[in-house]
Amino acid sequence: MSFVPELSILAGFTLASFILAITPGPDMTFFMSKTLTQGRKAGLVAVVGATNGIMIHALLAAIGISALLAASEFAFQILKTVGALYLGWLAFQILRNGSALSLEESEASSEPSRAIWAKALTINLLNPKVVLFFVTFLPQFVSANDPGATAKLLFLGFFFILLNVPSSLLMVFGASAVSKFLRSSPRVMRILDYSFAGIMAAFAVKLLSARASA
């Protein structure tokens, strides 16, 4: 299948995606908060909303990056270099500030499923880190002269979703235990921070080294 990247590339993408999926952020905060305050059904609806947002990000990123590649190979290379610098900056920010998990234990009133879905979708779509992740991270796994770049970008985007959903579901079904563990275990949180930062920094260094030797 031409749209499936090489095994070594897919392995690196899988590792980075897994670390990102279990690193606390706005999406995790929201669906775990809804689970704790309104039950598992509300949490699952929030996961669906966030996942729909990721689908939109993946589709738009693949189309936009492919259009850029078709217009100018040089511009595509610039995007990859800027992306590498951004990944390095992201690693620095994670080490500096850490990952935040802020869960509300109670709410004044419950929300209907449609409102929860819409809010989860909006939180995901308006999260600039998600936008930048897809725009700068996905190009690292395709080459400018690859005729199947568009298909590979789409495959990687939806493969990320496939990796992300199981961990989200596990967190919903174990929300109480997971939230208590994460909030009471700062060492584990820092390990996640260092793992994610290390992977992002490694990709940045690898890409910049390749540019320098080209």
Side-chain angles (χ1 to χ4, degrees):
M1 294 182 286
S2 60
F3 60 87
V4 179
E6 296 178 2
L7 184 59
S8 60
I9 295 176
L10 194 60
F13 182 84
T14 299
L15 177 60
S17 298
F18 175 74
I19 295 295
L20 178 64
I22 63 175
T23 300
D27 290 338
M28 182 187 295
T29 296
F30 183 69
F31 67 67
M32 288 186 66
S33 293
K34 300 311 296 183
T35 303
L36 293 172
T37 57
Q38 288 188 233
R40 288 178 179 173
K41 179 182 177 181
L44 292 174
V45 171
V47 169
V48 171
T51 301
N52 291 157
I54 295 175
M55 289 178 177
I56 295 174
H57 280 301
L59 183 61
L60 293 179
I63 293 174
I65 294 169
S66 298
L68 179 63
L69 175 57
S72 171
E73 181 177 334
F74 176 74
F76 180 73
Q77 298 298 342
I78 292 295
L79 174 64
K80 294 186 74 170
T81 301
V82 172
L85 295 174
Y86 168 70
L87 292 176
W89 176 84
L90 181 60
F92 171 75
Q93 288 295 105
I94 291 174
L95 292 178
R96 180 183 180 186
N97 302 320
S99 302
L101 183 67
S102 176
L103 302 178
E104 298 178 0
E105 295 288 340
S106 62
E107 290 185 348
S109 59
S110 62
E111 294 180 297
S113 295
R114 182 176 298 180
I116 295 172
W117 174 86
K119 185 176 290 186
L121 177 67
T122 302
I123 289 173
N124 185 274
L125 290 178
L126 297 182
N127 185 352
K129 287 188 177 182
V130 177
V131 177
L132 289 172
F133 176 82
F134 273 95
V135 172
T136 61
F137 191 65
L138 288 185
Q140 315 306 327
F141 298 90
V142 298
S143 60
N145 57 1
D146 188 346
T150 301
K152 286 184 178 178
L153 288 169
L154 284 171
F155 172 82
L156 290 172
F158 284 91
F159 185 64
F160 173 80
I161 296 173
L162 182 65
L163 296 171
N164 187 72
V165 169
S167 62
S168 297
L169 294 178
L170 286 174
M171 290 178 189
V172 166
F173 284 100
S176 180
V178 171
S179 65
K180 289 179 181 178
F181 175 71
L182 290 178
R183 287 185 296 184
S184 63
S185 305
R187 180 175 298 180
V188 173
M189 296 295 292
R190 290 307 288 168
I191 290 175
L192 291 177
D193 291 339
Y194 279 113
S195 298
F196 184 57
I199 291 172
M200 295 298 101
F203 277 120
V205 171
K206 180 180 178 181
L207 183 62
L208 292 175
S209 298
R211 293 290 170 272
S213 60

